[in-house]
Amino acid sequence: MTGSEESSSFRLVYVPGVMPDKWVRVWNERHPDLPLALTQVPAGAAAGRLLEGDADAGLVRLPVDRTVLSAIPLYTEQTVVVVPQDHLVTAVDEVSPEDLSDDIVLHPLDDVLDWENLPGRPAFERPATTADAVELVAAGIGVLIVPLSLARLHHRKDLTHRPLKEAPESSVALAWPEAATTDQVEDFIGIVRGRTVNSTRGRTQPPAPEKPTGAGRGGARRKPVPGKSAAAKRAGKGGQSAGRSGRGGSKGDRQGKPRRRS
């Protein structure tokens, strides 16, 4: 990819199950001259694409190497078990790992959940991908445990899913190379965090304009009333004062009430 191609768009990678449609729409509204180029990559390949400079930012699954990538966690997904429509666990609203003790639990090589002990019985061979594992579930070979978004991504009419208790969860984050925090990256961060278009957080603010010389606290000076000189104003103020103090006559000129004659 050439330098001119790199600067003609904002390149965003995202992993399966993550739907960036809302953020893409906001980006296109705010940056009509800088299109957002989307590329879906396997979850295990997203960090490498960022570090190799193939993308400006990515919607990835945690964890990532925080020594080289900056990351903002966005949300954590619910974990579900994908089963055939006629499976026994469809009778309950929530499944525990013990409920799967007699089932073969498929463990694809691209699994995004960090298991210490996978419930159920292991399969003879691990499927290469989550999509392959879904096909095996439909064939009645076993069940599959995945984040909710992946269950929805690979939805089939003959399959369903139920929430799984006491299972690891997968978190989604916005990540980018720590050494490449550009203005465009800051703008996308603002979009995923819900900032308004007028927000300047994270961007350099322009200097405030200087006030006109001689402007007072309330702004520019008031213009004098046409036809009225400063001397006239002073005289008017003096006359007004005199009028106030002369209201009813001076103290010495006031007449007292007539005395009653005895």
Side-chain angles (χ1 to χ4, degrees):
M1 185 178 290
T2 65
S4 60
E5 290 175 334
E6 289 180 356
S7 60
S8 63
S9 64
F10 181 71
R11 300 162 301 155
L12 181 75
V13 295
Y14 66 101
V15 297
V18 176
M19 301 298 178
D21 299 355
K22 176 181 67 175
W23 298 321
V24 172
R25 183 176 64 255
V26 176
W27 175 274
N28 290 335
E29 291 172 355
R30 297 184 185 180
H31 298 277
D33 56 339
L34 186 65
L36 200 153
L38 294 172
T39 305
Q40 181 174 291
V41 298
R49 297 291 291 269
L50 292 172
L51 294 175
E52 290 167 7
D54 294 333
D56 300 298
L59 296 169
V60 304
R61 291 192 181 273
L62 295 176
V64 295
D65 187 352
R66 296 295 187 99
T67 64
V68 290
L69 290 176
S70 296
I72 299 174
L74 301 177
Y75 57 88
T76 298
E77 290 196 67
Q78 184 181 55
T79 300
V80 301
V81 55
V82 179
V83 298
Q85 288 278 7
D86 58 355
H87 195 281
L88 290 176
V89 300
T90 59
V92 298
D93 295 330
E94 194 174 48
V95 181
S96 68
E98 292 75 19
D99 295 331
L100 305 176
S101 58
D102 293 332
D103 287 283
I104 293 176
V105 178
L106 301 166
H107 192 198
L109 295 175
D110 64 353
D111 185 21
V112 297
L113 299 173
D114 186 17
W115 289 100
E116 290 186 6
N117 295 296
L118 190 70
R121 297 183 293 134
F124 291 111
E125 186 177 357
R126 294 183 65 180
T129 65
T130 298
D132 293 336
V134 170
E135 295 293 331
L136 294 175
V137 174
I141 303 300
V143 300
L144 175 65
I145 303 172
V146 290
L148 178 58
S149 67
L150 291 180
R152 290 173 172 169
L153 177 65
H154 298 287
H155 172 71
R156 292 173 51 122
K157 291 183 178 180
D158 54 348
L159 301 179
T160 188
H161 59 266
R162 291 291 186 273
L164 181 64
K165 299 184 295 183
E166 303 171 14
E169 296 175 323
S170 177
S171 296
V172 174
L174 174 66
W176 66 95
E178 190 173 278
T181 307
T182 64
D183 285 347
Q184 289 73 32
V185 170
E186 290 284 3
D187 286 344
F188 197 79
I189 292 171
I191 289 173
V192 300
R193 284 186 161 176
R195 297 178 196 156
T196 64
V197 68
N198 295 324
S199 174
T200 55
R201 184 177 178 182
R203 301 290 296 272
T204 302
Q205 300 185 23
E210 295 182 1
K211 292 183 179 180
T213 304
R217 186 180 303 173
R221 291 177 176 173
R222 293 183 180 181
K223 295 181 179 180
V225 179
K228 194 167 185 179
S229 65
K233 289 181 181 180
R234 287 194 297 271
K237 288 182 180 179
Q240 187 176 5
S241 273
R244 282 199 298 264
S245 62
R247 186 180 298 167
S250 64
K251 186 175 181 181
D253 294 337
R254 291 181 184 172
Q255 295 180 356
K257 292 183 180 181
R259 297 181 178 176
R260 293 184 180 181
R261 293 182 179 178
S262 54

